[in-house]
Amino acid sequence: MKATNSWLRFAVFLFCGIGAAAQTATSTLPSTGFAGLDQYRASRIAVYMDDYGQLARYRDANAALKPLGPGENRVIFFGDSITDMWPIAESFAGKPYINRGIGGQTTSQMLVRFRQDVIDLQPKVVVILAGTNDIAGNTGPISNQDIESNFASIAELARDHNIHVIFSSILPVHNYTPQAHDFFAQRPMAKILALNTWLKDYSAANNLIYLDYFPALTDGKGLLKRDLADDGLHPNKAGYAIMAPLAEKAIEKTLQHSAIKH
């Protein structure tokens, strides 16, 4: 009985110690200045520690994919929540297009899962829409230079596996609704524009297609049009309806260039 009680006390001590350590880690995270983002980052500690790239999200879906058919031009849409929430099957009915977006992710996380969720699926084209969460600091502060390095690494990996890359512009944001204010403040337009300039220049220098959503999505102030996103960041149905034909045009252009080269 004494031994049992001793082990019970030890288990309680250990459990409490782990709980206290976790609470301390959460409470000592450096503040971003935004309560909502601080809470989000604290809620992701277990994910960042156990499966940083969130490889588990699509592992089973990848395994269940049918083999490529003869001449099939598989396309993967790869990104964060803006891709994750995009009803790809609805926007591109009958097309062999696959959604591999994960909400909240940064380019650092996407780089970790790029092999599993893109390379191993053998697509002809990958449409990458990423970077907004890097700017916001979802996985911590990161410079534009380091974001650019992640983009470049992704493009180089794709090229080494004969996958054609389409880099999408980071989407504009707006602050026209109460729920949009923090998203807007976390994503300075100057930083978005600077990264988009880099993406455009990198694409031109490396013979990649640059998919620029900005002209079709922005208003007279250079912000995302009010009626295209209720929260200022994530496109609604009307937003995706504008984006889909632009993406399709970029894909067709990429496939045409690919056919000419071969």
Side-chain angles (χ1 to χ4, degrees), residues 116-153:
Q116 174 191 279
D117 290 345
V118 178
I119 294 172
D120 290 349
L121 306 186
Q122 300 180 296
K124 192 76 170 181
V125 178
V126 59
V127 182
I128 297 169
L129 176 53
T132 191
N133 293 326
D134 297 69
I135 295 172
N138 278 21
T139 52
I142 183 171
S143 67
N144 273 23
Q145 183 177 2
D146 286 338
I147 300 171
E148 292 160 7
S149 294
N150 285 341
F151 278 128
S153 294

Side-chain angles (χ1 to χ4, degrees), residues 51-65 74 76 78 98-100 102 105 109-123 126 157 161 163:
D51 185 8
Y52 182 71
Q54 293 177 263
L55 294 168
R57 167 70 185 276
Y58 287 115
R59 185 174 288 127
D60 291 343
N62 291 342
L65 279 177
R74 175 176 287 171
I76 293 178
F78 187 69
I98 299 170
N99 191 323
R100 287 296 179 266
I102 296 183
Q105 282 208 332
Q109 292 174 291
M110 293 177 205
L111 186 55
V112 170
R113 68 183 179 94
F114 191 73
R115 180 172 298 277
Q116 174 191 279
D117 290 345
V118 178
I119 294 172
D120 290 349
L121 306 186
Q122 300 180 296
V126 59
L157 282 169
H161 290 83
I163 300 169

Side-chain angles (χ1 to χ4, degrees), residues 197-220:
T197 296
W198 183 90
L199 286 167
K200 183 177 181 179
D201 292 345
Y202 181 91
S203 297
N206 291 275
N207 297 314
L208 308 178
I209 298 298
Y210 176 62
L211 173 50
D212 190 1
Y213 290 119
F214 251 71
L217 299 181
T218 51
D219 60 17

Side-chain angles (χ1 to χ4, degrees), residues 166-227:
I166 295 174
F167 273 133
S168 307
S169 60
I170 300 170
L171 299 190
V173 290
H174 75 62
N175 64 348
Y176 298 135
T177 62
Q179 60 267 47
H181 292 169
D182 277 1
F183 283 147
F184 182 81
Q186 293 159 12
R187 295 164 171 81
M189 187 58 69
K191 197 164 186 178
I192 293 175
L193 294 175
L195 280 169
N196 282 345
T197 296
W198 183 90
L199 286 167
K200 183 177 181 179
D201 292 345
Y202 181 91
S203 297
N206 291 275
N207 297 314
L208 308 178
I209 298 298
Y210 176 62
L211 173 50
D212 190 1
Y213 290 119
F214 251 71
L217 299 181
T218 51
D219 60 17
K221 297 180 180 179
L223 306 184
L224 181 63
K225 292 176 181 176
R226 163 65 182 84
D227 59 346

